[in-house]
Amino acid sequence: MTMTQQSPTLVSVLDEVRAETSKELGIDISEIAEDTVLKQLPGADSVRLLRIVAQIERIHDVEFEDADIFRVTTPGELAQLVVAQSAEA
């Protein structure tokens, strides 16, 4: 990787995932930890969670495989997926 091509950091992506989740579900960001199970958050359903993933994909200009998306259960796992995908680009 060259210096002009920077991957997002795990911390910055995790912050974005938490913020997008908070916005989509209408809950306080403090309720969303790195290891929070997304499906267990108030108001979470498959459509809303896919909207969060789609927004993160747009922000980082990445596209995840369906199998990868369905394996993700926490904000930390989603952030790791973004960082890994960005590193491959």
Side-chain angles (χ1 to χ4, degrees):
M1 176 177 301
T2 65
M3 292 303 284
T4 57
Q5 188 180 22
Q6 292 186 339
S7 289
T9 66
L10 188 58
V11 171
S12 68
V13 175
L14 179 59
D15 288 345
E16 286 173 355
V17 169
R18 291 177 64 229
E20 288 301 321
T21 302
S22 170
K23 186 168 96 178
E24 178 64 35
L25 299 180
I27 60 175
D28 193 87
I29 197 167
S30 66
E31 294 183 50
I32 306 164
E34 180 177 356
D35 60 352
T36 299
V37 176
L38 292 167
K39 291 189 298 187
Q40 294 177 353
L41 289 169
D45 63 28
S46 58
V47 172
R48 292 179 119 183
L49 295 176
L50 285 174
R51 277 192 259 192
I52 294 164
V53 170
Q55 183 63 20
I56 296 299
E57 285 178 322
R58 279 191 291 278
I59 290 169
H60 290 282
D61 194 27
V62 295
E63 189 172 328
F64 305 125
E65 296 293 324
D66 290 346
D68 291 335
I69 293 169
F70 293 118
R71 275 195 292 272
V72 168
T73 59
T74 67
E77 290 172 358
L78 181 53
Q80 290 172 352
L81 187 60
V82 170
V83 171
Q85 190 88 9
S86 296
E88 293 174 10

